[in-house]
Amino acid sequence: MTCTMEIYLDANATTPVLPEARAAALAAMSADYGNPSSTHSAGLKARALVDETRACARRVLGAPTGELLFLSGATEGIQMAVLSALTALRQRRERGESIPQLLLFGATEHKAVPEALRHWNLLLSLNLQVLSIPVGADGRHDLGWLRQHAPRAGLVCTMAANNETGVVSDLAGIQAALEASPALWMVDSVQALGKLPLSLGQRPIDYAPFSGHKLYAPKGVGLLYVREGAPITPLITGGGQEGALRSGTENMPGIAALGAVLKLLEAGNLFKAAGVLASHRERLTVALRDAFPKIVFNADPALSLPTTLNFSVPGVSSQVLLNLFDAAQIRVSSGSACGAARAQPSHVLEAMGLPAWRCASAVRLSFGPATPSGLIDEACERIRECGASLRDNCLVPSIQRPTAAVERINRHAVGGLVCYLVADPSSRRCVIIDPLPDQVEPLAQWVRCRNYVLAAVLQTSSHRSVVSCAAALWKSIPAVLADTAEVDSLGWPRGAAEIALGGQRLTRLHSPGSSRDATAYLLHDAQGPCAVFVGDALTPRVRGGDVDPGDSPQRAALLRQLQAAVGDGTLLLSRHDPDDLYASTLNHEMAQLMSPAPVAEPAALSPGELLARIARGDKIVLVDVREPYEYRLGSAPQPGLAVAREAVPVSSILNAIPHWRAGDPDTTRVLFCRSGSRSAQAARALRRLGLERTASLAGGIALWPDAGHAARRIDRA
Ligand code: PLP
């Protein structure tokens, strides 16, 4: 399947701007460009638009009284709400009154809320205690806890619906828990707008921030509701706009666009009713279950927005899922957009007490309330293709696929630790070295699906940091696929001088280091030794090269031993590889011992620079380092010029190094992947191994010159 049309299912991060909103913004920048503070007719026209939009917002939000301020977005609205509440507390303290000592926020709140509380608490020298309100496994606030702490709270911040899970808060329950509390109450309503009925005026909510770009208006415009009588302190002062509560010339294109969206929301024909949205979600749920039978959903649909799904797939990381969906041209995310660049587990799922694997591998799929049914159908079809791709590549349980591609050395890295699976396609035998507990199921799956015989599960050391999971692995593999023999404590068959793997063989080399029994394993092919699995023996040097060469006599001894046993260019593969350096060589290790030198950073070529190099006749090979499960869903865009291409997945790049070393030294390999990060990392590692003519494509396929044209965004038909 090759998909060219982008399906955007990340609406909780942001939404495309509706054509009506775009037209309104354009009008506010062209014909109707007046400043609402001017008293001539251009200004009066602009003022009328501001008033009209505010009036419409009051109706949509059910807020007939109180302030409704236009500002830049929810983050600003949150700052102003927190500043207002905390300033009022400070003024009371300055008057000598005693004030409540707690500031409370929901544990699953958007980061803007706790950050604002801490910031203004510090800046106003209030020094109140900032506490998070725990949530249950269902993601809802612990109302008992809240009831207990509310009497001592000066401000309570909760949200109407969560951006990562879609869990809808029990606002009635929170209201009841706050009954005996002196606290002001802020409800972050960003994700509720357009998806849940809102009647702000009917609840004792003091502050409610909203954001335009979460509902088809542009970025840079938002609203803050402030209940009549609630304290207000301007965050920005100046020309006195917005009743002197938020100065600065109004963002007229933004307000006009937001106004157009609110009008559509009020008219009610473009935005789907909750029942329709729930049926969209149900279809997506069925497709996800078909694609990933072991999927777990991280929020109860009965308690969540009908537009959000948050899920984890056992044994499949969120990175793999994101790569997979992206290859199918479906845009989803691994949590909040603000956290997406930091590969950290979701604080929301952690607060719900979900197991670590679910927090670290969650994916969020969210659509907007104007999403057409046809788009959901297309998304379901592609999601099923994603599942088929994982099955074809043996990444999830599936029937045996002995034809699935197999490389000699397969690298499985988790959190800086690496396990290697050495396979021999001719004999269908394999050996696993240093497996980690989290990898047992994926590795067993690899063996079962490809119908390989597992000849040994080896460890490079019995050091206490190495958790043996050999027994668990053997147990997960059917007896017919297990070459059982009596083995020693590191898994080596007793009395055997070598382990045969068809045309290859493994031998071992005692290399005391991290433990007395530390052992390196040497892989030999017909030409001689080709790789050494060195365990932890080279760890300090392999990690970066800034260690005193004299620090490790054991390492120097091992290097001498290896020098006698293998060639200088043989790949040394470490169990520790937090910087994704992939491999080292004796040449490199020796050079580092003599004079540690940083490796020059590889060039990250912009698409334009790449095309210029091709045009000037440089010898270039483009190397697609994405994984086979990604290739299956769509080929990478063509650069429009004749240039050689190779597909070498990062997970098996080690196998290509010998060929590249032996190849034309004048050829530059430009690695590319989805976002540019895997390829940049791989290019750095390859240069370190002496393949200096290696570069990567900055921004990856995402910034490929053709990509923007090829992918037509169709959030709305
Ligand atoms: N609150 C929630 C629940 C959100 O989802 C977001 C955006 O991700 C924000 C606040 C911040 O909104 P803005 O981007 O308008 O500053």
Side-chain angles (χ1 to χ4, degrees), residues 60 209-210 428 442 650 671:
V60 167
F210 295 89
R428 306 192 81 79
V650 162
L671 315 190

Side-chain angles (χ1 to χ4, degrees), residues 99 151 185 363 402-403 408 513 530 566:
I99 58 167
W185 183 19
V363 169
T403 51
R408 179 158 71 173
C530 52
V566 302

Side-chain angles (χ1 to χ4, degrees), residues 238-360:
Q241 289 86 349
E242 292 292 274
L245 294 173
R246 203 287 188 174
S247 286
T249 302
E250 291 84 345
N251 168 6
M252 289 308 296
I255 292 172
L258 182 57
V261 172
L262 293 171
K263 264 193 216 156
L264 287 166
L265 190 53
E266 198 176 22
N269 33 26
L270 176 64
F271 291 86
K272 311 281 185 298
V276 177
L277 298 175
S279 87
H280 286 0
R281 181 181 59 181
E282 181 54 25
R283 269 151 58 212
L284 288 165
T285 304
V286 171
L288 285 165
R289 282 195 202 284
D290 289 349
F292 315 112
K294 294 199 166 173
I295 192 169
V296 281
F297 290 93
N298 294 323
D300 178 351
L303 297 182
S304 313
L305 289 176
T307 49
T308 304
L309 283 163
N310 189 305
F311 58 87
S312 307
V313 180
V316 187
S317 69
S318 55
Q319 196 51 56
V320 166
L321 288 168
L322 290 195
N323 291 340
L324 185 71
F325 277 79
D326 220 53
Q329 300 283 356
I330 301 179
R331 310 296 176 234
V332 295
S333 74
S334 61
S336 77
C338 313
R342 307 183 295 262
Q344 276 176 0
S346 148
H347 78 282
V348 172
L349 301 182
E350 281 184 340
M352 290 163 66
L354 298 190
W357 75 266
R358 274 166 76 178
C359 303

Side-chain angles (χ1 to χ4, degrees), residues 77-152:
I78 290 166
Q79 305 305 307
M80 188 165 168
V82 170
L83 172 68
S84 300
L86 268 54
T87 303
L89 288 171
R90 194 174 125 132
Q91 286 165 348
R92 280 173 55 193
R93 184 152 82 185
E94 278 167 358
R95 287 199 298 269
E97 293 174 35
S98 82
I99 58 167
Q101 289 302 299
L102 300 181
L103 303 174
L104 306 181
F105 67 96
T108 59
E109 215 68 20
H110 187 277
K111 285 284 177 213
V113 173
E115 289 301 317
L117 285 173
R118 292 190 191 107
H119 179 72
W120 294 109
N121 186 35
L122 189 74
L123 232 63
L124 296 171
S125 307
L126 270 168
N127 302 319
L128 301 180
Q129 199 181 355
V130 181
L131 285 184
S132 70
I133 309 163
V135 296
D138 61 1
R140 288 189 143 189
H141 302 91
D142 179 339
L143 296 181
W145 189 98
L146 182 59
R147 207 169 299 116
Q148 197 188 336
H149 291 77
R152 292 193 297 127

Side-chain angles (χ1 to χ4, degrees), residues 12-13 73-75 78 110 112 159 161 163 188 190-191 211 213-214 338:
N12 288 8
T75 302
I78 290 166
H110 187 277
M159 62 201 323
N163 47 310
D188 174 344
V190 167
Q191 297 292 346
S211 178
H213 74 102
K214 306 288 180 170
C338 313

